[in-house]
Amino acid sequence: MIKIPWAASKIIEELEKSGYEAYVVGGCVRDSLLGKEPADWDICTSAQPEEIKRSMSHYRTLDTGLKYGTITVLADDQKYEVTTYRLDGMYLDHRRPEKACFISELKEDLRRRGFTMNAMAYHPERGLVDYFSGQRDLENGMICCIGKAEERFREDALRIMRALRFAAVYDYRISPKTARAAEQLKPLLIEIAPERLQAEL
């Protein structure tokens, strides 16, 4: 059982009233399972950006990432990023996909998220959705990429730094396959903007 903010629950409720799926997702689920207070609460949904805005007509919204399906909803004096389920296109700069393809399946959206611990979703009534054993890896103190680690790091090289940060902050081990891929592909970090590296440090 994860206690999510009233406003996040309300956003999910409004989206579902309009006929769409919606879940809190990612780091807020991970931190809640670890007994930590999430810094923010992100929501994923089957609604596309214009459908999100129509469903959120009672709230102020900001077009913060339309290319990637993200609308920021201002509710209860907080900002909630609401993002359409998506598949990512080619990563030509090892950081951001060139384009996003909006989809209707939660599982495929979670698959693109890099680490198993960040690929979990939660619904106030349906509970935890964990297709990639993220909860097991949390319990075992293990940082694992979803699928092939080499592919995840070639997509977004900043994930190498993120794996190291998670290992340091949570005192977790990096799985052997993930660690080998990080060591092999660390030269890609030279292509990442210094301010992004600094944020991870």
Side-chain angles (χ1 to χ4, degrees):
M1 186 74 175
I2 293 176
K3 185 176 181 181
I4 71 176
W6 174 87
S9 295
K10 197 67 180 170
I11 290 169
I12 290 171
E13 181 182 317
E14 293 294 337
L15 286 164
E16 294 195 333
K17 275 185 189 175
S18 299
Y20 309 108
E21 292 180 357
Y23 296 80
V24 291
V25 69
C28 61
V29 178
R30 176 198 69 224
D31 288 348
S32 295
L33 292 174
L34 290 171
K36 300 177 181 292
E37 184 68 30
D40 47 45
W41 293 83
D42 294 332
I43 295 166
C44 64
T45 178
S46 59
Q48 298 210 5
E50 291 303 319
E51 295 167 337
I52 294 170
K53 289 198 285 187
R54 281 199 297 272
S55 300
M56 298 292 106
S57 59
H58 300 305
Y59 301 98
R60 185 180 169 206
T61 61
L62 304 172
D63 295 350
T64 47
L66 282 180
K67 179 179 178 181
Y68 299 106
T70 300
I71 302 294
T72 297
V73 178
L74 305 176
D76 199 24
D77 297 323
Q78 297 293 324
K79 294 180 179 179
Y80 295 89
E81 287 194 351
V82 183
T83 303
T84 305
Y85 301 159
R86 73 174 198 242
L87 293 176
D88 290 335
M90 294 290 291
Y91 287 74
L92 299 182
D93 62 356
H94 304 295
R95 180 68 191 107
R96 293 274 183 199
E98 290 299 297
K99 63 179 182 177
C101 175
F102 301 142
I103 58 174
S104 59
E105 293 182 32
L106 173 63
K107 184 175 182 178
E108 293 307 308
D109 180 78
L110 296 176
R111 190 188 301 278
R112 69 176 176 81
R113 291 176 179 266
F115 299 108
T116 60
M117 64 167 60
N118 291 338
M120 294 180 284
Y122 183 83
H123 188 277
E125 296 174 4
R126 294 189 284 276
L128 184 69
V129 178
D130 181 14
Y131 293 112
F132 305 104
S133 302
Q135 187 174 25
R136 180 199 64 193
D137 289 339
L138 280 183
E139 291 169 354
N140 291 334
M142 188 69 69
I143 298 163
C144 301
C145 284
I146 297 170
K148 294 182 179 180
E150 292 88 351
E151 292 179 5
R152 301 293 81 77
F153 291 146
R154 286 187 190 280
E155 289 168 349
D156 183 356
L158 193 63
R159 287 172 177 157
I160 296 170
M161 294 294 291
R162 197 157 288 146
L164 296 171
R165 174 166 65 84
F166 288 149
V169 169
Y170 298 125
D171 194 22
Y172 279 10
R173 292 169 294 142
I174 301 175
S175 76
K177 288 182 179 179
T178 299
R180 281 195 298 272
E183 173 69 20
Q184 175 190 348
L185 297 172
K186 66 185 179 183
L188 294 178
L189 288 170
I190 200 168
E191 300 183 36
I192 301 301
E195 59 269 22
R196 299 296 300 166
L197 297 174
Q198 181 63 38
E200 294 299 321
L201 290 170

